[in-house]
Amino acid sequence: MARLILACYRANIQTELEYRVDFAMRIVASLLGLVTTFGGLAVAFTYTRQIAGWTFPEALVLLAVYYLMVGIAEMFIAPGMRQVMGQVREGTFDFVLLKPVPPQLLATFRVVDFWRATDVLLGLALSIYTTTRLGLHVGLRSAIFFAMTLVAGALVIYALWLVLATLTFWFIRIENIEQIVWLGFEAGRYPVRIYPAWLQLSLRYIIPVAFIITTPAQALIGRLSAFGLTTALAVSICSVIASSAFFRFGLRYYTGASA
């Protein structure tokens, strides 16, 4: 299975390398987004030392985690899920189901958007800059917690996308729902506590941005307890198990070209 997915990734990368100008444009777009958000934070912190309990360096850590998670989601998770949605609508998902491999893994991990690695690199660069130049001390414990919560956050993103893709078995188009999810995700660039109470609840429990972005940021700056880490890992595992069960349930309602 791993060899098959790697072969799919190689084919995707070879195709993407034919459009190198697109790579340059995406770098420019990512940098413009980073500069805009960075500038907004810098202006806000000229008037105060903290925003919702976050200092300027800590807010930059939050921004770095945002870019990391966006890059991971758009590079490894979203492309395959969008392809699943299209194939289910067109009735061509049979070509996945007929392969002698688990359909969920093949369907959701066979496509990679190589160029979104720019967001991952931006997030890593901003993390390194923030922790080394702005006086944030990161110990071994914080680094381990950070890595583990990043994995937990990525698993939650995967589970969320899998649920969206599964809804295609009943609904023709769910692009509008996807846009709402991404708008909620973009809210994670800033501390969740700056938003109204109703929006905070939405970002914690409906579109779990606080869990996906805020928790890894808290881990990196040393604010996350062992209990918080355990909770993060448990929630991520339960999310993947529940979304996988929902996907298998949705497969019963698929009517493809061979039906």
Side-chain angles (χ1 to χ4, degrees):
M1 183 62 194
R3 293 175 60 187
L4 178 59
I5 291 177
L6 288 175
C8 291
Y9 281 1
R10 282 197 299 269
N12 276 269
I13 292 172
Q14 289 171 354
T15 301
E16 292 287 347
L17 286 175
E18 297 177 8
Y19 304 95
R20 300 183 183 183
V21 176
D22 187 50
F23 176 58
M25 295 304 297
R26 294 196 185 192
I27 292 178
V28 171
S30 296
L31 286 173
L32 286 175
L34 176 60
V35 169
T36 301
T37 307
F38 183 92
L41 285 173
V43 170
F45 276 99
T46 59
Y47 297 98
T48 181
R49 294 175 60 88
Q50 291 187 354
I51 295 179
W54 293 73
T55 64
F56 182 56
E58 291 171 347
L60 290 182
V61 170
L62 195 66
L63 181 60
V65 174
Y66 166 79
Y67 273 97
L68 275 171
M69 300 311 288
V70 166
I72 291 171
E74 285 285 11
M75 187 175 179
F76 295 106
I77 300 172
M81 297 295 185
R82 292 190 182 112
Q83 192 170 78
V84 169
M85 295 175 185
Q87 289 182 322
V88 171
R89 284 196 302 266
E90 296 166 3
T92 58
F93 195 59
D94 306 60
F95 297 108
V96 175
L97 298 177
L98 292 174
K99 298 292 191 299
V101 291
Q104 178 184 329
L105 291 178
L106 179 61
T108 56
F109 288 115
R110 58 184 165 151
V111 183
V112 60
D113 188 347
F114 173 71
W115 301 128
R116 294 312 293 253
T118 56
D119 289 329
V120 176
L121 294 176
L122 279 176
L124 287 173
L126 186 57
S127 298
I128 294 171
Y129 169 78
T130 303
T131 55
T132 57
R133 299 294 298 274
L134 299 182
L136 288 178
H137 175 70
V138 179
L140 179 61
R141 178 179 183 273
S142 296
I144 294 174
F145 278 25
F146 178 61
M148 296 179 73
T149 51
L150 279 181
V151 173
L155 290 175
V156 172
I157 295 175
Y158 173 79
L160 184 62
W161 263 103
L162 186 59
V163 169
L164 288 177
T166 304
L167 290 176
T168 315
F169 292 121
W170 295 280
F171 302 97
I172 297 176
R173 292 187 178 276
I174 60 170
E175 282 81 0
N176 291 335
I177 300 178
E178 178 187 339
Q179 290 302 316
I180 293 173
V181 170
W182 276 115
L183 287 174
F185 204 79
E186 289 180 358
R189 291 179 292 180
Y190 308 104
V192 173
R193 289 175 56 192
I194 69 172
Y195 300 111
W198 66 269
L199 186 53
Q200 288 187 42
L201 289 174
S202 300
L203 295 177
R204 291 181 189 277
Y205 302 109
I206 299 177
I207 306 172
V209 169
F211 179 85
I212 295 169
I213 299 175
T214 306
T215 299
Q218 289 175 328
L220 189 58
I221 62 179
R223 287 190 186 179
L224 189 68
S225 65
F227 176 76
L229 174 64
T230 303
T231 302
L233 294 175
V235 168
S236 63
I237 293 172
C238 291
S239 298
V240 171
I241 292 173
S243 61
S244 298
F246 184 54
F247 179 78
R248 292 192 298 271
F249 175 75
L251 282 177
R252 302 176 187 176
Y253 295 87
Y254 171 67
T255 302
S258 61

